[in-house]
Amino acid sequence: MRLNFILKKTAFFIVIMLISVLNSTAQIQAGFVNEYFKGIWNPAEMRVEPAVGIIFDARGRLFAWTKEGRVYVLPNNNSSSSWSLMLDIRSEVKSAFDGGMLGFVLDPDFFTNGFFYVYYSTYVSGGSSQDAAVGRVKRFKANNPNHATLLPTTDYSDPLNKTLIGESNSTGIPITKLSHMGGTLVFGTDNSLIVSTGDGAYYSNFDDGSHIETAYQECLNRGVMTNAENIGANRSQLLNSHCGKLLRIDPNTGDGLPSNPYYNAASPRTAQSRVWARGFRNPFRIMHIPLTGNHTDDPGDFLVGDVGQGDKEEYNMVVESGQNFGWPFKEGMSISHNRPLTQYAPANPIKPIIDYRTGTGRAIKNDTIFNIGSVQVPGINPMEGNSAVAGVYYDKDTYPPAYKNTSFVGDASGIIYNVKLDANYNVQYVNRFAYNLSSLTSMAIDPISGNIYYLAYGSGGSSIYRIRYSPSNQPPIAKIKADITAGSSPLTTAFSALDSYDPDNQTITYQWNFGDGSPVETTLAPHHVFTNAGQTSYKVKLTVTDPNGEKGYDSLYVSLNNTPPVIDSSSIHALNSIAANAAYPITLSAFASDDHTDSAQLTYAWKIMLAHNDHEHLYTTYTNNNQSISLPSLECEKGVATYWIRIYLIVTDQQGLSTTYTKDINLNCVGIQQSITFPAIPDKLTTAPAFTLNATASSTLPISYYLVSGPATLGGSTVTLTGKPGQVKIRATQHGSTLTNYNQAPIVERTFNVTRSITQQTVTLDSVPPKLITSPAFTLNATASSGLAIKYFVVSGPATLSSGNLLTLGQEGTVRVRAVQAGTYTTNGAFAERVFTVTDPCPPARTLTQTLVNGEPMTIQAGQTIQAANLIQSGANVVYQAGAAIELNPGFQAESGSVFKAQIQGCN
């Protein structure tokens, strides 16, 4: 596989391939707010199993489904609520590469019949190839679909559960390369079920059948496709194939419907009987246009985002049955591909209404092609992106009137466009609505609030964002930082909201809920002690509020009596480079330990990423230890770009805590090796001026920089801060040179923190001398340079606090105490610590091994016994007193000139 060719010439996305392009801060049209709404379920699962799609039901409950095969529901669209598991069919879902459960939809009568539908790739029965799969559409029945308090769950044994497409190898949707399976389920106006399918062919170059990079032979041998279907991407034109189509089926039976254009009453379950439209490459996301079609035999109109091969991304309008959109012979409005199987070439394919990617974006208006940005079709020029994602048709009144009855479409690279079409689907304008988003795989409208939500799929997991109209005031952004989030009880954690901010630069207030029933705190950087006898976790929530009452939220979990696994070693720790142009066999194995989970109960996930300059693409995920695989073959492209393999090893314990080890594996290309020196970047204030990066390569060739994440922009080697706080990560690369024969250099990354200007303070805590367990209670004394009040904590050791600063001792040990001034919006938090020992003057028994030297006379006591194996040096004056026995063991010596006495008596 030629990675560079894939990345430069193909739409390598299809859900997961474009993990995310993490560049500068998200931008959105004036008056709107792009705000973080919620991560997916819990932090441990976010990295291993991110979600790929979201929808709402009519009550405003939010459903999210994962590539691996689970569906979760969130009650009442509440960001503070927890996700509830609705479906888990991971054992059926083949989720490697671009495969997985990509489609999910609720029945129009879900509240009464409980039906919902999923579209996923499953394993070939009897097969072994990683690339071969069968596309399956299945209906399930939910319990409690409209209960007042209970959330829906799946009744796996209900007799009404039914496989609609793909009961066997030969009845499913053929996939010869686990990519290009489409991915949307949507209901038409007539309650027919529409399924968007991809061509199931090789993605990066032309596949006309028997392509060496596909599993065509296994698909033939196992009956996944017929010999007639072994025509690669041309399956999009073949009526007897499910591939590259919009299929229209009866949701009760899976049969094609009599009003379908090629329906055969004698064989209603054949592909031909199910076809509604054809000629698509990979229609990953499509949308239904409301108030189109009828309730009997017309599903209505559909806007289809078809991911292109590399020249053009398409938005197509399907307005009647039997339409043909030209793939693989046509791409975009005017590009023709010379394919050998000319018998499948369509006579007059339908043009997309919008195409973009290479060159200028274009649109069709009154049957004429215009450049987007022209007088005829105003909008953004050029129209950027690389993987079209159809979004939502906006028919609500929450946004300004100009947005009503317009379409919001997107691109997986992190862009949302607002498109206005007239009644005949002529394009009126294409405005760039939002850009620099983390990524984009799904959009949905909350029917209650009328706000648009989108799912950002990233290497750190899935997150949901809400787009809200707030023209006069932007809500504040809440961000939590914590120094420790797992450990034994009692656990003292230092929190900070310093990275929280208000886009309007107003003063914000803080409210901390620690999730354990303790009182709310309102400081900038509070410290909190969590206590519990068992293993548990607490959700800590930060709410920030601006003077107008707008709020922002963030949260994290603190786990008690549990710690994440420790990854001790792995087969990738010492693997630094592999040969180019050849697959690399390796056994993925690791050794990890955990203080609270047996090693055999730990779970392992390996995410193999194809990395390129400033972003990563997911190649595949493995979820076992000691698994033999082959890393993909990559090609060196000296002077063009830097490519490497990045592997994330994620080890998770039974309680959900995980540890991630990241390994970059470079290409060992023929040529001179070089390295990059990239000095550390000091932390900055949000008001700091632009600055220049100064990395150098040992080859003296020029450095290329990429902004990976954070509140900054990067032009060449100049970094400009956006004025917002946060952590910035910058990557330095040197792509090599064919002229000087230098190989690409291993990448080097640097991070730095950006904080707002704030008054610093110091805390001074009086020293505490060593204590005896019989010492009386005493007070801790500390002051803050700000003059603000101090709060005291026992971080560890045998002591308790009362009355704020009164410390009472108990047993022997080492005590660590902390004095905290938690700060305000204008003054940063600070703290100081003291550590002291507490000893018992008369324990029941002592074992002495330490050397005793000249000094004041010394009496060492024990209630019962002393075991002595130590040296008493000349000049020392020592008395051992024990109530029952004093044993002088080997190693004991009292030197000449010392005074030593042993007395049998109790402690004084």
Side-chain angles (χ1 to χ4, degrees):
M1 177 173 63
R2 297 179 59 204
L3 174 63
N4 65 297
F5 184 72
I6 292 171
L7 296 181
K8 291 186 288 185
K9 278 292 292 176
T10 74
F12 195 58
F13 162 68
I14 337 358
V15 167
I16 313 297
M17 300 315 297
L18 185 67
I19 282 294
S20 85
V21 181
L22 296 172
N23 39 32
S24 54
T25 305
Q27 303 293 319
I28 195 165
Q29 285 197 4
F32 287 88
V33 177
N34 177 62
E35 56 190 0
Y36 173 78
F37 178 71
K38 192 173 183 67
I40 305 302
W41 41 102
N42 67 56
E45 289 177 324
M46 281 178 64
R47 292 180 178 272
V48 180
E49 190 187 1
V52 294
I54 54 172
I55 63 171
F56 288 91
D57 67 11
R59 287 178 51 185
R61 296 182 299 188
L62 180 58
F63 296 77
W65 65 96
T66 76
K67 183 175 180 285
E68 281 73 14
R70 296 202 280 190
V71 178
Y72 288 79
V73 58
L74 189 70
N76 305 320
N77 181 17
N78 188 338
S79 64
S80 64
S81 299
S82 297
W83 294 97
S84 176
L85 179 64
M86 175 176 168
L87 175 75
D88 187 347
I89 56 168
R90 286 173 293 171
S91 61
E92 297 182 37
V93 176
K94 189 172 186 177
S95 61
F97 210 41
D98 285 338
M101 190 171 76
L102 306 187
F104 171 85
V105 71
L106 301 172
D107 192 277
D109 296 319
F110 174 71
F111 287 162
T112 54
N113 63 26
F115 291 149
F116 64 93
Y117 308 79
V118 289
Y119 173 38
Y120 58 95
S121 51
T122 191
Y123 299 88
V124 174
S125 179
S128 60
S129 171
Q130 179 174 291
D131 292 323
V134 175
R136 175 180 292 168
V137 178
K138 194 167 184 178
R139 180 183 71 187
F140 288 95
K141 192 175 189 303
N143 301 310
N144 311 312
N146 195 28
H147 195 278
T149 57
L150 299 177
L151 294 174
T153 58
T154 299
D155 185 347
Y156 296 97
S157 62
D158 194 286
L160 294 177
N161 295 341
K162 184 178 180 63
T163 299
L164 303 177
I165 299 176
E167 309 95 313
S168 63
N169 284 354
S170 61
T171 59
I173 300 161
I175 302 171
T176 64
K177 186 74 176 179
L178 200 49
S179 182
H180 288 202
M181 61 175 284
T184 297
L185 297 177
V186 65
F187 274 91
T189 304
D190 59 359
N191 284 355
S192 62
L193 180 59
I194 306 297
V195 186
S196 71
T197 70
D199 62 15
Y202 192 57
Y203 42 79
S204 72
N205 52 40
F206 295 129
D207 179 0
D208 292 299
S210 300
H211 196 291
I212 191 172
E213 295 286 348
T214 69
Y216 75 92
Q217 193 62 60
E218 180 169 297
C219 289
L220 289 173
N221 295 344
R222 298 297 177 182
V224 175
M225 69 178 181
T226 63
N227 285 319
E229 289 180 282
N230 185 24
I231 53 175
N234 298 284
R235 285 189 290 271
S236 294
Q237 294 295 326
L238 185 65
L239 287 177
N240 287 322
S241 175
H242 287 102
C243 296
K245 311 292 193 304
L246 293 194
L247 307 176
R248 177 172 172 259
I249 62 174
D250 183 336
N252 294 306
T253 64
D255 293 350
L257 293 165
S259 51
N260 284 349
Y262 312 107
Y263 179 78
N264 183 343
S267 52
R269 296 185 70 76
T270 60
Q272 175 177 318
S273 290
R274 290 165 165 163
V275 171
W276 182 255
R278 57 177 161 161
F280 299 106
R281 181 176 182 267
N282 190 42
F284 169 61
R285 291 285 180 247
I286 72 174
M287 76 166 81
H288 179 248
I289 307 299
L291 304 179
T292 59
N294 60 44
H295 294 288
T296 56
D297 59 2
D298 184 353
D301 302 339
F302 300 89
L303 191 153
V304 177
D306 196 17
V307 180
Q309 179 155 300
D311 293 304
K312 294 294 181 182
E313 302 299 310
E314 297 182 4
Y315 285 108
N316 300 278
M317 285 304 310
V318 178
V319 298
E320 61 185 12
S321 66
Q323 288 182 299
N324 191 321
F325 291 86
W327 178 258
F329 294 87
K330 295 290 184 180
E331 185 175 356
M333 298 178 187
S334 56
I335 294 175
S336 297
H337 294 302
N338 184 20
R339 309 297 287 259
L341 302 180
T342 56
Q343 64 269 37
Y344 297 107
N348 294 296
I350 307 297
K351 288 183 173 64
I353 60 169
I354 293 172
D355 72 359
Y356 69 98
R357 186 172 185 171
T358 57
T360 302
R362 300 177 298 177
I364 289 182
K365 185 175 184 180
N366 299 323
D367 298 322
T368 303
I369 300 175
F370 295 103
N371 288 339
I372 296 173
S374 64
V375 174
Q376 295 84 359
V377 183
I380 188 70
N381 182 14
M383 185 176 175
E384 299 174 321
N386 52 34
S387 295
V389 180
V392 293
Y393 183 87
Y394 193 79
D395 57 358
K396 306 298 181 183
D397 295 311
T398 304
Y399 294 173
Y403 293 97
K404 188 165 185 179
N405 298 322
T406 66
S407 296
F408 287 84
V409 300
D411 188 273
S413 61
I415 306 172
I416 296 176
Y417 295 102
N418 179 240
V419 179
K420 176 68 173 179
L421 307 175
D422 68 13
N424 296 314
Y425 300 122
N426 292 302
V427 180
Q428 304 300 298
Y429 58 76
V430 181
N431 290 329
R432 188 174 65 175
F433 181 75
Y435 62 99
N436 283 343
L437 309 178
S438 296
S439 63
L440 185 70
T441 61
S442 182
M443 299 172 67
I445 300 176
D446 175 11
I448 307 301
S449 69
N451 292 316
I452 292 175
Y453 289 63
Y454 70 89
L455 185 81
Y457 187 103
S459 58
S462 296
S463 295
I464 296 172
Y465 288 83
R466 174 173 56 196
I467 297 175
R468 187 162 56 87
Y469 185 60
S470 180
S472 59
N473 184 55
Q474 302 284 301
I477 306 299
K479 293 184 180 181
I480 293 180
K481 296 171 74 174
D483 67 339
I484 182 169
T485 57
S488 299
S489 176
L491 181 68
T492 303
T493 299
F495 296 96
S496 176
L498 185 58
D499 282 354
S500 304
Y501 66 94
D502 182 71
D504 302 311
N505 294 318
Q506 301 179 95
T507 299
I508 56 177
T509 57
Y510 312 99
Q511 186 179 74
W512 297 86
N513 186 326
F514 298 107
D516 58 359
S518 60
V520 167
E521 294 202 28
T522 58
T523 54
L524 171 70
H527 296 218
H528 188 74
V529 180
F530 297 89
T531 58
N532 195 296
Q535 282 190 345
T536 188
S537 62
Y538 296 105
K539 185 177 183 179
V540 178
K541 183 177 179 181
L542 168 66
T543 304
V544 297
T545 308
D546 72 10
N548 298 302
E550 287 278 7
K551 299 181 183 297
Y553 306 92
D554 195 12
S555 62
L556 57 73
Y557 287 87
V558 173
S559 297
L560 277 191
N561 302 313
N562 189 28
T563 52
V566 175
I567 300 175
D568 301 303
S569 63
S570 78
S571 57
I572 61 174
H573 271 66
L575 182 60
N576 298 313
S577 64
I578 60 174
N581 304 309
Y584 184 85
I586 185 175
T587 298
L588 298 176
S589 62
F591 295 94
S593 56
D594 190 279
D595 289 341
H596 302 88
T597 298
D598 185 89
S599 296
Q601 302 301 315
L602 298 174
T603 60
Y604 295 77
W606 308 78
K607 298 180 77 168
I608 313 298
M609 316 298 294
L610 307 180
H612 168 229
N613 288 352
D614 62 347
H615 60 275
E616 305 162 19
H617 303 253
L618 177 64
Y619 177 70
T620 192
T621 299
Y622 299 97
T623 55
N624 295 311
N625 202 6
N626 300 309
Q627 183 160 353
S628 295
I629 67 156
S630 290
L631 297 178
S633 170
L634 307 184
E635 186 174 87
C636 295
E637 283 290 317
K638 292 179 183 178
V640 176
T642 296
Y643 306 107
W644 70 100
I645 291 175
R646 173 168 285 185
I647 300 179
Y648 296 102
L649 165 60
I650 306 131
V651 182
T652 306
D653 67 16
Q654 286 185 304
Q655 292 73 40
L657 291 186
S658 64
T659 298
T660 299
Y661 172 73
T662 303
K663 181 66 176 183
D664 286 336
I665 302 171
N666 298 293
L667 295 185
N668 188 13
C669 303
V670 176
I672 305 170
Q673 302 302 312
Q674 61 168 321
S675 60
I676 294 172
T677 300
F678 193 178
I681 304 173
D683 292 343
K684 307 285 185 181
L685 293 176
T686 54
T687 54
F691 62 94
T692 301
L693 300 170
N694 57 350
T696 57
S698 59
S699 64
T700 72
L701 292 169
I703 297 291
S704 295
Y705 299 99
Y706 299 95
L707 179 65
V708 180
S709 60
T713 60
L714 179 60
S717 61
T718 301
V719 179
T720 303
L721 303 180
T722 64
K724 311 303 180 188
Q727 186 180 78
V728 177
K729 179 183 289 187
I730 294 174
R731 179 176 297 157
T733 66
Q734 211 304 306
H735 303 323
S737 170
T738 56
L739 296 176
T740 58
N741 200 30
Y742 274 101
N743 187 15
Q744 66 182 37
I747 62 111
V748 179
E749 295 177 341
R750 293 288 179 256
T751 60
F752 62 95
N753 296 312
V754 181
T755 57
R756 62 182 174 88
S757 179
I758 188 171
T759 300
Q760 302 297 328
Q761 64 171 321
T762 58
V763 171
T764 301
L765 174 60
D766 290 352
S767 61
V768 182
K771 298 286 185 179
L772 301 175
I773 62 171
T774 55
S775 298
F778 63 97
T779 58
L780 297 172
N781 295 290
T783 57
S785 60
S786 63
L788 297 171
I790 296 290
K791 189 172 183 179
Y792 298 91
F793 297 88
V794 174
V795 177
S796 60
T800 57
L801 270 174
S802 60
S803 301
N805 65 340
L806 183 65
L807 199 66
T808 301
L809 306 176
Q811 304 172 7
E812 281 192 306
T814 300
V815 178
R816 179 180 166 200
V817 292
R818 180 180 299 177
V820 176
Q821 208 309 297
T824 65
Y825 180 78
T826 57
T827 304
N828 201 4
F831 69 94
E833 290 188 343
R834 293 293 184 185
V835 177
F836 62 94
T837 58
V838 181
T839 57
D840 185 347
C842 187
R846 286 188 189 274
T847 298
L848 302 177
T849 59
Q850 71 272 29
T851 297
L852 303 179
V853 299
N854 184 24
E856 294 293 327
M858 180 185 307
T859 300
I860 298 177
Q861 298 179 322
Q864 295 295 318
T865 62
I866 291 177
Q867 301 277 342
N870 62 323
L871 172 65
I872 301 175
Q873 290 185 339
S874 177
N877 187 343
V878 180
V879 178
Y880 291 173
Q881 293 180 346
I886 298 172
E887 297 184 12
L888 304 180
N889 296 322
F892 174 81
Q893 181 183 357
E895 291 183 341
S896 176
S898 66
V899 176
F900 168 67
K901 296 179 181 179
Q903 300 174 349
I904 303 300
Q905 69 177 63
C907 297
N908 295 330

